[in-house]
Amino acid sequence: MIKNQRKDIHHPAHIRNLPPTILTIFGATGDLAADYLLPALLHMEEHRLLPADFKLACVGRRDLNAKSYFDFVVKKSSVLKKIPQAVKNRFFSRLIYYRADFDSPASFAGLSRLLSLHDRPESDRCYNRLYYFATSPQYFAGIARMLKAEGLLTGCAEHKRQVRILVEKPFGFNLASARALNSLLLKNFSEEQIYRIDHYQGKETVQNLMVVRFANSIFEPLWNKDHIDHVEISVLETDTAKLRAVYYDQTGAIRDFVQNHVLQVLSLLTMDEPYELTAENIRNEKNKILKVLRPFTAGSLKTGLIKGQYVGYAREAGGESRTETFVALKAFVDTPRWQGVPFYLRTGKALHKKVAEVSVHFKEPARCIFKNCAANILTFRLQPDESVHLQLNNKIPGFGIELHQGDYEFGYKRAFASEIPGAYERLLLDFIEGDQRLFIRSDEIESSWKFIDSIIENPEFQKTPVHIYKPKTTGPAEAEAFIKKDLREWWTR
Ligand code: BG6
């Protein structure tokens, strides 16, 4: 029984005292904005998490106005239907819609004039300007350039307005393109102004990895090769690539999921304790891990990676395709702490269930005086049914000594009364507040691409077979055989 239920996990904006802010979303009519960003912002409005003086400038290519844009978003999102009308009205009063071409200087000059209309330097009211790049990635560089060239970053200088940009994924397509984008952005903005998003960082359960590891003294002494046999990170999805198949076909599971979400989770799980909870310290520690992921070679690609594709994908992608919709791989973190510990990473679409889990498999006792001392397993269920589980051996009541492996569960739903904040809400709030701790630094992005390049840019990668699997299964049979040959099995079943 868990005592002290928390009634409300939200901290209203008036407590936070957030400055006047205009958030501009480029790509506002795209799926990301309509399905994730606007619902998150409305939810924040409902919980009074937005600054009192807040404007939202939605920029899209469609010919709409604030009213027709809002109707379009509300119609598209089932979540928004549940938001009370009074909240929608309040939110609507903050909304601006601006039609623009993302590669047109004239569009940006017009936007600059529009945003300036809201500033009142004489009465000390200048808005912080935040720009969210939610367009297709081909526009990122141009938007960054034009924001500067068309004067959207300046003005109100004496009021020290803050300007920040948030860049959606995919951040690059490989190391070279990620480097080029970083260098272009860094020509126009300082690192402190650039927020590279990985929405997994916004998930409560991902943030909890650090807390469980470093706030409980029982784990850290065991968190190494001497006590941990292996680790599994599995992110399984039931959805197909269908609606995004054309984009996805250029991407595949490794770029879409492993390069970012999976490697970020892996770095949080394996890094050393940051000296302090600052963005600099946390990101330094994560990057130390990302830098020493053992690169794949032609040889290790043959034995350490399985690609899969679900039946029917090629048709969705518009023809023949070798893009992987499933991947399983064995990675190693080349530090003394983790020498020899395999990290089995797995993700895929059109699988039998949606679940994201990290499981840390401890070694069995060196000597077991009972029959079957099963290995302890610590599982972080990232989603759904957010929870942490620990498998421990117990005695089965009775006259003999038989062991039972029991599951000690900490479930969020039972422990906390209010709903868990969504990842985008958390990250948008951090963006508004100027907190970079959950965002990815340029060197982290480059280190993870360097590792991913050792896979995708390796000529052997094209030759590795793509195993076809039926939708609604656990993926290709080869992925089962892959881990079984190491005398282990997938824990997330
Ligand atoms: C995105 C990927 O980053 O994350 C998608 O591009 C994926 O392919 C999505 O479906 C999964 O997010 P979540 O929060 O539902 O696990």
Side-chain angles (χ1 to χ4, degrees):
M1 178 68 187
I2 292 159
K3 292 186 186 150
N4 301 328
Q5 282 209 342
R6 286 168 59 182
K7 289 260 175 315
D8 194 358
I9 45 188
H10 296 299
H11 305 286
H14 67 269
I15 300 178
R16 293 170 170 258
N17 197 17
L18 298 173
T21 302
I22 298 192
L23 170 64
T24 301
I25 300 180
F26 294 106
T29 51
D31 287 342
L32 176 79
D35 298 342
Y36 292 95
L37 306 184
L38 269 288
L41 288 163
L42 261 133
H43 212 240
M44 291 163 79
E45 178 76 88
E46 188 176 6
H47 292 281
R48 299 201 178 269
L49 293 167
L50 294 172
D53 201 348
F54 177 77
K55 302 258 175 260
L56 177 67
C58 289
V59 182
R61 281 180 298 187
R62 292 198 208 170
D63 216 352
L64 299 170
N65 56 36
K67 170 86 176 61
S68 52
Y69 173 69
F70 197 50
D71 289 347
F72 153 78
V73 172
V74 172
K75 204 166 150 205
K76 196 164 185 297
S77 164
S78 54
V79 189
L80 293 191
K81 297 200 176 83
K82 293 185 207 126
I83 304 259
Q85 192 54 43
V87 175
K88 284 188 199 153
N89 294 347
R90 209 162 68 219
F91 186 77
F92 183 70
S93 69
R94 306 173 183 278
L95 190 68
I96 301 160
Y97 183 83
Y98 179 74
R99 205 209 78 76
D101 292 318
F102 302 130
D103 46 10
S104 147
S107 286
F108 280 77
L111 180 63
S112 176
R113 286 192 294 278
L114 181 68
L115 297 187
S116 300
L117 291 179
H118 295 279
D119 287 330
R120 299 264 183 283
E122 63 290 352
S123 55
D124 212 20
R125 205 185 72 179
C126 282
Y127 286 83
N128 279 353
R129 288 196 181 168
L130 309 190
Y131 298 101
Y132 197 123
F133 295 16
T135 61
S136 137
Q138 78 203 70
Y139 295 112
F140 291 170
I143 294 175
R145 252 188 254 117
M146 274 189 280
L147 283 176
K148 189 162 191 185
E150 299 305 325
L152 283 104
L153 311 181
T154 45
C156 270
E158 65 278 24
H159 293 273
K160 295 205 175 62
R161 107 150 96 238
Q162 293 177 18
V163 177
R164 299 190 262 280
I165 59 167
L166 189 154
V167 186
E168 257 300 333
K169 68 179 271 278
F171 196 99
F173 191 67
N174 54 15
L175 178 59
S177 55
R179 268 193 187 141
L181 183 55
N182 267 335
S183 101
L184 184 278
L185 293 179
L186 286 164
K187 269 191 201 121
N188 295 288
F189 302 90
S190 68
E191 183 65 51
E192 288 65 42
Q193 292 178 294
I194 307 171
Y195 288 62
R196 298 172 195 80
I197 198 167
D198 180 320
H199 80 279
Y200 266 59
Q201 291 277 333
K203 291 185 192 281
E204 277 295 331
T205 45
V206 172
Q207 292 162 43
N208 194 38
L209 292 172
M210 259 220 289
V211 175
V212 169
R213 287 194 53 202
F214 301 128
N216 300 299
S217 58
I218 58 173
F219 293 119
E220 205 45 21
L222 306 181
W223 216 254
N224 57 53
K225 64 173 184 0
D226 298 331
H227 300 280
I228 293 179
D229 176 73
H230 71 281
V231 174
E232 171 185 332
I233 302 178
S234 279
V235 188
L236 314 182
E237 297 191 282
T238 48
D239 283 351
T240 62
K242 210 189 245 154
L243 296 171
R244 306 157 71 219
V246 175
Y247 155 76
Y248 193 84
D249 205 45
Q250 309 297 312
T251 312
I254 297 177
R255 287 187 173 92
D256 184 49
F257 231 113
V258 181
Q259 182 272 328
N260 35 68
H261 309 322
V262 173
L263 292 189
Q264 280 293 316
V265 168
L266 173 63
S267 63
L268 286 168
L269 196 77
T270 52
M271 69 182 188
D272 286 350
E273 186 176 45
Y275 180 62
E276 282 174 324
L277 281 180
T278 58
E280 197 198 352
N281 280 284
I282 296 170
R283 300 190 297 179
N284 284 349
E285 294 307 333
K286 278 194 292 162
N287 191 39
K288 280 186 205 159
I289 294 294
L290 296 168
K291 271 199 313 208
V292 298
L293 293 173
R294 188 183 301 165
F296 273 84
T297 59
S300 59
L301 266 185
K302 279 195 197 123
T303 54
L305 181 123
I306 297 288
K307 287 196 282 191
Q309 187 187 87
Y310 62 84
V311 175
Y313 170 78
R315 199 175 354 102
E316 289 168 8
E320 226 176 83
S321 168
R322 282 185 51 79
T323 299
E324 78 289 351
T325 61
F326 175 99
V327 66
L329 55 106
K330 184 159 68 165
F332 291 93
V333 177
D334 262 339
T335 59
R337 189 204 274 244
W338 295 112
Q339 270 317 293
V341 178
F343 291 82
Y344 296 96
L345 315 178
R346 183 176 56 146
T347 184
K349 293 206 180 280
L351 299 174
H352 64 307
K353 62 176 177 182
K354 179 168 171 76
V355 64
E357 242 178 46
V358 176
S359 51
V360 179
H361 299 250
F362 290 89
K363 291 189 171 171
E364 289 172 17
R367 177 170 165 266
C368 179
I369 56 172
F370 309 103
K371 260 191 269 161
N372 308 329
C373 298
N376 303 119
I377 301 167
L378 177 64
T379 306
F380 298 89
R381 169 66 80 99
L382 306 181
Q383 65 187 31
D385 299 332
E386 292 79 357
S387 46
V388 182
H389 302 251
L390 182 60
Q391 298 276 318
L392 292 180
N393 292 301
N394 290 285
K395 180 181 175 302
I396 300 175
F399 297 110
I401 302 191
E402 296 289 328
L403 301 195
H404 163 78
Q405 214 184 24
D407 176 22
Y408 289 66
E409 178 188 352
F410 166 74
Y412 280 51
K413 284 203 185 87
R414 243 182 304 153
F416 305 120
S418 41
E419 67 185 293
I420 303 171
Y424 275 99
E425 281 170 55
R426 168 62 199 253
L427 295 171
L428 279 163
L429 193 58
D430 284 357
F431 184 42
I432 292 170
E433 290 199 294
D435 184 339
Q436 286 191 305
R437 284 179 291 187
L438 299 179
F439 291 85
I440 318 302
R441 208 169 53 192
S442 52
D443 51 354
E444 286 180 82
I445 288 265
E446 292 183 14
S447 304
S448 39
W449 272 120
K450 196 166 174 207
F451 170 69
I452 295 296
D453 265 16
S454 77
I455 303 172
I456 56 173
E457 299 284 322
N458 192 319
E460 195 58 40
F461 182 67
Q462 294 311 325
K463 294 186 215 146
T464 38
V466 182
H467 303 288
I468 301 298
Y469 60 95
K470 282 201 194 127
K472 301 199 172 102
T473 63
T474 55
E478 288 76 2
E480 303 295 325
F482 167 74
I483 191 162
K484 280 213 174 95
K485 77 174 182 320
D486 289 355
L487 305 179
R488 298 180 179 112
E489 54 184 25
W490 298 109
W491 173 249
T492 310
R493 271 169 262 155

